[in-house]
Amino acid sequence: MKSIIALLVVAWLVIGAVAAFQRGYFGDDRDVSCKTAADTALTVVAGPLNYVGVNPKVKCNVPEPSK
């Protein structure tokens, strides 16, 4: 039973990674920031839900260092 669950989880994440790739999240032309990294991770975790209309987005507010 554990191996079936593990296989389902891996398949879920692979489908999410394919969706992130199709959206261009793994391209070299993107700047890496909190928002882009979080959008990519959330898209991978959402898995097959990406193909039924879910388009996860994240708003990141990272504090600036003091001067």
Side-chain angles (χ1 to χ4, degrees), residues 16-17 20 24-26 30 34-45 56 58:
Y25 289 170
F26 296 123
R30 290 181 55 123
C34 172
K35 182 184 178 340
T36 58
D39 283 347
T40 303
L42 194 55
T43 299
V44 171
V45 171
V58 176

Side-chain angles (χ1 to χ4, degrees), residues 48-65:
L49 297 176
N50 290 290
Y51 294 104
V52 294
V54 175
N55 188 10
K57 296 290 180 185
V58 176
K59 292 183 180 179
C60 285
N61 293 325
V62 180
E64 296 293 323

Side-chain angles (χ1 to χ4, degrees), residues 5-53:
I5 293 173
L7 184 61
L8 289 174
V9 168
V10 169
W12 182 278
L13 294 175
V14 167
I15 292 169
V18 169
F21 179 76
Q22 289 175 338
R23 290 184 179 166
Y25 289 170
F26 296 123
D28 291 336
D29 57 340
R30 290 181 55 123
D31 292 332
V32 177
S33 67
C34 172
K35 182 184 178 340
T36 58
D39 283 347
T40 303
L42 194 55
T43 299
V44 171
V45 171
L49 297 176
N50 290 290
Y51 294 104
V52 294

